[in-house]
Amino acid sequence: MVNEISIEQDIVKTIRGILGESPLLLHEPYFVGNEWLYLKECLDTRFVSSVGKFVDQFEKQLAEYTGSKYAIAVVNGTAALHIALKLSGVENDDEVIIPSLTFIATANAVSYCGAIPHFVDSEESHLGIDPIALREYLKSMTEFRDGKCINTQTGRVIRAIVPMHTFGHPSKLDELLALAKDFNLELIEDAAESLGSYYYGKHTGTFGKFGTLSFNGNKTITTGGGGALLTQDENLAKLAKHITTTAKLPHRWEYVHDQIGYNYRMPNINAALGCAQLESLPSFLKSKRDLYESYRRGFENLKNVELISEPRHCKSNYWLQTIKLSWEQKNLLDVRNRVLELTNDSGVMTRPVWRLLHSLKPFELCPSMPMVVAKKLEASLINIPSSAHLLPKDE
């Protein structure tokens, strides 16, 4: 029988054997291209705020890279998701289905609309919303009134569903799109973590009415702080750009605003950083895939530990490399915590998956389904060092 006490030592030894003895952070930005050149141009021309050529250039390049017809750059991924929900018809007192296993920004954006997060379970292979369990759950507790999906327990309209592509691994989009159609829900993708990930050859964030991206400092590429909306609808794209620019009507000098708007536009200096980062994205993705392969070889003979791999028919960006402790282990949460303690004490930064959102104080009264799989994932998933530059040069 495997001695559970040895698991944490084995994990540290495996990671150190691959990456060496230097301190290892979880995910650092990597600047090896034209970042300094483009930032200097912003400073030299003094176009550092929301006006400047790099904003338009970044949006164009994002649309081209993802295959989306339109991309609208904003200040962060949460702002992108807020506007996507608002323009998808989410209103005060509506419910929006989101996974409990996600970063809190997903739930916060729903709350910004005055809506209520409705938390649902995840599944093991993709780490996203479980469409089979969710379908049975909705069949048991909803009904249609005037074409709207009604939660019979609360009387509220369930307006939308927001799958999140966990750590860059695409959710089961075909089944979720079918579910959204059957229950008359708008589908908005939280693709904050999945730039460079594909589902059956199509980029994540381009399946629903909107997709949203994040370019925070710890993402695959960064603009410092930033996000974007993706949409295939020209009118929605124009409206999104308008209301994220304080809903100001174009004029040479007059300040006329035709509705409540938001100061959400991405500054030019951030977009300049993004343009340079996009140029390096293919090499970042290759390096992260190479890192995955090195981890795969290192962990393949380690008992009770599994490296998370991209799902079938998907191409993941491997934003955060992730190990899963065996669910059969006794006291799984204690084992996870020992791993986290020893790795971090040893200079190997690791992190657990997020605390399930339905258990947090701001959301503890929100509706939720039984979290059979999500609770196991919460107790077993650990993110390990994932930066694009980690492998030695001879790898």
Side-chain angles (χ1 to χ4, degrees):
M1 178 178 291
V2 174
N3 183 358
E4 288 183 348
I5 296 176
S6 71
I7 292 176
E8 55 266 40
Q9 286 95 345
D10 287 342
I11 290 172
V12 170
K13 181 179 178 181
T14 298
I15 295 173
R16 285 299 188 194
I18 296 167
L19 300 179
E21 295 300 319
S22 61
L24 299 170
L25 298 181
L26 188 67
H27 198 285
E28 293 181 285
Y30 194 29
F31 305 120
V32 290
N34 288 313
E35 287 87 356
W36 282 107
L37 179 65
Y38 295 168
L39 291 175
K40 184 177 185 303
E41 181 176 339
C42 289
L43 297 177
D44 289 343
T45 61
R46 298 182 176 84
F47 283 107
V48 297
S49 193
S50 57
V51 175
K53 77 171 190 180
F54 288 111
V55 178
D56 293 337
Q57 182 177 323
F58 186 54
E59 291 177 336
K60 181 176 183 292
Q61 291 174 344
L62 268 181
E64 291 174 349
Y65 180 82
T66 60
S68 181
K69 289 184 179 179
Y70 305 97
I72 302 93
V74 293
V75 292
N76 54 56
T78 311
L81 189 53
H82 175 205
I83 296 303
L85 290 163
K86 181 178 177 64
L87 296 186
S88 297
V90 174
E91 299 176 346
N92 188 63
D93 209 38
D94 283 346
E95 292 181 12
V96 176
I97 292 171
I98 67 172
S100 189
L101 188 78
T102 183
F103 183 55
I104 197 169
T106 314
N108 283 343
V110 173
S111 300
Y112 296 166
C113 296
I116 294 91
H118 189 141
F119 297 105
V120 299
D121 201 11
S122 299
E123 54 82 38
E124 186 180 2
S125 61
H126 291 239
L127 306 180
I129 292 175
D130 185 336
I132 297 175
L134 177 57
R135 181 177 288 275
E136 292 304 310
Y137 173 68
L138 290 177
K139 285 166 61 177
S140 73
M141 48 75 66
T142 64
E143 65 182 25
F144 281 93
R145 300 177 197 162
D146 300 323
K148 298 175 182 177
C149 183
I150 305 296
N151 181 340
T152 56
Q153 299 172 9
T154 65
R156 292 189 289 251
V157 175
I158 302 179
R159 187 75 64 181
I161 180 171
V162 184
M164 195 277 288
H165 305 304
T166 311
F167 307 138
H169 301 296
S171 297
K172 291 185 172 181
L173 285 165
D174 281 346
E175 291 135 297
L176 290 170
L177 285 164
L179 182 147
K181 181 180 179 181
D182 291 344
F183 288 90
N184 197 21
L185 306 174
E186 294 289 359
L187 188 140
I188 301 113
E189 292 174 74
D190 184 344
E193 301 173 359
S194 64
L195 180 67
S197 296
Y198 295 82
Y199 181 81
Y200 281 89
K202 185 177 179 181
H203 198 285
T204 54
T206 62
F207 288 81
K209 176 168 279 192
F210 283 101
T212 61
L213 302 171
S214 171
F215 310 111
N216 190 31
N218 67 345
K219 294 300 191 296
T220 304
I221 69 167
T222 185
T223 58
L229 297 93
L230 304 178
T231 184
Q232 316 315 310
D233 187 304
E234 181 180 7
N235 291 329
L236 286 176
K238 289 179 179 177
L239 184 55
K241 182 169 286 194
H242 180 58
I243 68 171
T244 56
T245 316
T246 68
K248 182 182 181 296
L249 297 176
H251 194 277
R252 288 171 61 197
W253 58 79
E254 291 284 4
Y255 291 91
V256 180
H257 306 259
D258 62 352
Q259 59 180 291
I260 299 296
Y262 302 86
N263 191 13
Y264 279 177
R265 291 290 284 151
M266 178 183 284
N268 195 52
I269 196 167
N270 296 88
L273 188 60
C275 288
Q277 288 270 286
L278 269 176
E279 293 170 357
S280 297
L281 180 57
S283 65
F284 291 171
L285 293 173
K286 182 182 183 304
S287 294
K288 293 170 79 62
R289 186 163 288 270
D290 291 344
L291 178 60
Y292 162 77
E293 289 296 335
S294 294
Y295 276 143
R296 183 187 60 78
R297 293 191 295 271
F299 280 104
E300 63 183 355
N301 294 320
L302 200 61
K303 294 183 178 180
N304 288 339
V305 179
E306 174 190 346
L307 182 68
I308 298 294
S309 302
E310 64 192 0
R312 291 184 61 209
H313 308 300
C314 296
K315 185 175 183 180
S316 300
N317 65 3
Y318 287 110
W319 169 54
L320 286 185
Q321 311 284 347
T322 309
I323 57 174
K324 184 178 74 174
L325 305 177
S326 171
W327 288 355
E328 284 69 38
Q329 293 176 100
K330 296 179 180 179
N331 305 316
L332 180 58
L333 192 60
D334 291 339
V335 176
R336 186 205 73 171
N337 290 340
R338 290 206 310 269
V339 172
L340 290 168
E341 183 174 9
L342 183 64
T343 50
N344 284 283
D345 286 349
S346 303
V348 177
M349 183 181 286
T350 59
R351 289 293 182 266
V353 73
W354 316 279
R355 189 74 59 89
L356 295 183
L357 296 188
H358 77 281
S359 68
L360 300 181
K361 186 175 181 179
F363 306 114
E364 58 189 6
L365 298 180
C366 294
S368 63
M369 70 181 287
M371 302 293 170
V372 178
V373 175
K375 286 181 179 178
K376 292 181 179 179
L377 292 172
E378 179 187 32
S380 62
L381 295 181
I382 298 174
N383 297 130
I384 59 179
S386 304
S387 304
H389 62 276
L390 285 178
L391 283 177
K393 295 299 183 182
D394 58 353
E395 281 285 317

